[in-house]
Amino acid sequence: MLSRSTVSFIRLDDAEHVRQRRVLMGGFIARRVEEMRPWMRQVVDETLDGFVEEGGPADLVAGFAVPVASRVIFELLGLPYEDRGFLLEHSRVMSRLDPDLDALKAAIAALTEYLTDLAAHKRRSPDESVLGRLATRGDVAAEELASMGRLLLTAGHWTTVDMTALGVLALLRHPVQAGLLRADGDLATGAVEELLRYLSILQIGVPRAALEDIDVDGTVIRAGEGVMLMLSTANRDAGMFPDGDRLDLTRDTRHHLAFSFGPHQCLGQALARAELQIALPTLLRRLPGLRLAAPFEELRFREDMVYGVDRLPVTW
């Protein structure tokens, strides 16, 4: 039986982290994501149909990025889409870098109760969703399922929302690069990798503590000292990415660290890549006149656990 602690497994190391990660891997394997691609294309097209029908100027975050990411992650996890208001409200609180503690406790309690009840329902009526499979496992306690569900909903939704919006913004500010992607759909895979590197929306760094003395390029980090590993800085390292402050969709970015590295690599990276590879080229192709509907200087950027933009007014 896994530990019944409600601490997220991303805060764990060694055997316990590996064990809980393996429990989840089945829902995020590349084969499952590939099977979802045709449906994801349908979701993107349907959402864009409604977005265009409403007319511009419009907020790309609320009108496109949020509904696409919501439908995809809810389908994968097995969450009822009609409960999205409740679920997204509380998961947004959990994504704050410096939340009100009372609000955070309330959000955790509300999501825990909801997910525990959902798991009980799925045990009675099993399905093939991630939470559906977890609910029928004998080695996953209710507290663990709720903890995993909270993590997957928060990390798997808001990261993709913010990456979609910021990816569009970066392309609008680099029209030559946007033109390359619009003209060549085969560029999507590499373009998404470059945008992931260039934006690196997990910007607050990865905290770690040294277990022993370590020499890093002439600087000694003593055992017990804390370090902050800045993925965004690493992704602009000139030794790895020459002229790294420049967006270049044709660049080889296979070794970027936007999804971290090693045993703590993002579980949902295949899903995030697929969503972006579909959403960004489709948006550029169907709306060739897409442009900002407000001065860049008036945009409000959000520096939470994940970097993002509150609203992205566009027209076409």
Side-chain angles (χ1 to χ4, degrees):
M1 176 72 69
L2 296 177
S3 167
R4 292 180 178 271
S5 170
T6 59
V7 175
S8 170
F9 79 95
I10 64 171
R11 300 294 183 188
L12 303 174
D13 282 313
D14 301 327
E16 185 62 21
H17 171 265
V18 171
R19 187 186 302 176
Q20 294 197 34
R21 186 181 179 94
R22 284 177 177 168
V23 167
L24 286 167
M25 281 301 291
F28 286 93
I29 57 175
R31 178 180 56 80
R32 179 169 173 81
V33 172
E34 289 304 308
E35 290 172 351
M36 291 179 65
R37 276 185 182 262
W39 177 80
M40 282 192 275
R41 292 190 185 95
Q42 179 182 338
V43 168
V44 168
D45 281 328
E46 290 175 354
T47 306
L48 193 51
D49 287 342
F51 184 68
V52 171
E53 185 176 347
E54 289 291 324
D59 176 17
L60 189 90
V61 176
F64 182 75
V66 169
V68 167
S70 299
R71 288 186 62 184
V72 171
I73 195 66
F74 277 46
E75 175 72 16
L76 185 70
L77 295 183
L79 298 170
Y81 192 62
E82 58 268 23
D83 294 341
R84 62 190 179 280
F86 167 85
L87 292 167
L88 297 185
E89 175 187 355
H90 290 301
S91 67
R92 176 53 97 186
V93 173
M94 292 187 60
S95 73
R96 301 296 186 196
L97 183 59
D98 187 20
D100 176 85
L101 291 182
D102 289 336
L104 178 60
K105 290 178 182 178
I108 292 174
L111 288 176
T112 298
E113 181 179 6
Y114 177 94
L115 291 166
T116 301
D117 290 344
L118 181 66
H121 169 75
K122 288 184 179 294
R123 287 190 184 98
R124 294 190 299 269
S125 302
D127 60 41
E128 291 302 309
S129 68
V130 172
L131 295 180
R133 287 200 297 270
L134 288 177
T136 57
R137 291 182 62 119
D139 57 349
V140 178
E143 297 92 335
E144 291 165 340
L145 185 145
S147 176
M148 292 175 184
R150 293 195 309 266
L151 169 67
L152 296 174
L153 173 61
T154 303
H157 178 267
W158 294 112
T159 50
T160 307
V161 169
D162 290 328
M163 188 62 209
T164 299
L166 289 178
V168 171
L169 178 58
L171 291 168
L172 294 182
R173 288 175 57 80
H174 295 80
V176 173
Q177 297 298 310
L180 293 176
L181 181 56
R182 183 181 292 111
D184 183 4
D186 292 338
L187 187 60
T189 299
V192 166
E193 299 306 310
E194 170 66 352
L195 286 165
L196 288 164
R197 178 203 70 82
Y198 182 77
L199 294 168
S200 299
I201 61 174
L202 185 63
Q203 297 192 340
I204 61 172
V206 180
R208 291 289 184 268
L211 298 180
E212 58 187 41
D213 290 357
I214 305 171
D215 185 295
V216 180
D217 197 25
T219 297
V220 177
I221 301 172
R222 302 296 180 186
E225 291 183 342
V227 295
M228 187 70 79
L229 309 178
M230 302 301 294
L231 303 182
S232 55
T233 301
N235 278 341
R236 299 287 182 100
D237 182 357
M240 181 63 69
F241 306 107
D243 198 10
D245 290 335
R246 180 174 58 89
L247 180 67
D248 179 3
L249 300 189
T250 65
R251 179 199 305 270
D252 179 1
T253 55
R254 284 175 294 177
H255 301 295
H256 70 76
L257 299 176
F259 291 116
S260 192
F261 179 79
H264 283 274
Q265 282 191 66
C266 174
L267 275 170
Q269 59 184 287
L271 183 68
R273 284 183 165 110
E275 289 186 62
L276 294 167
Q277 290 165 5
I278 294 168
L280 296 180
T282 301
L283 194 64
L284 292 178
R285 185 182 68 253
R286 290 189 53 182
L287 299 179
L290 188 68
R291 60 191 183 279
L292 284 177
F296 175 79
E297 293 73 20
E298 294 182 4
L299 299 179
R300 294 179 54 191
F301 293 91
R302 187 182 62 261
E303 297 187 7
D304 281 332
M305 294 179 69
V306 178
Y307 189 65
V309 60
D310 287 331
R311 296 181 68 254
L312 188 61
V314 296
T315 191
W316 48 92

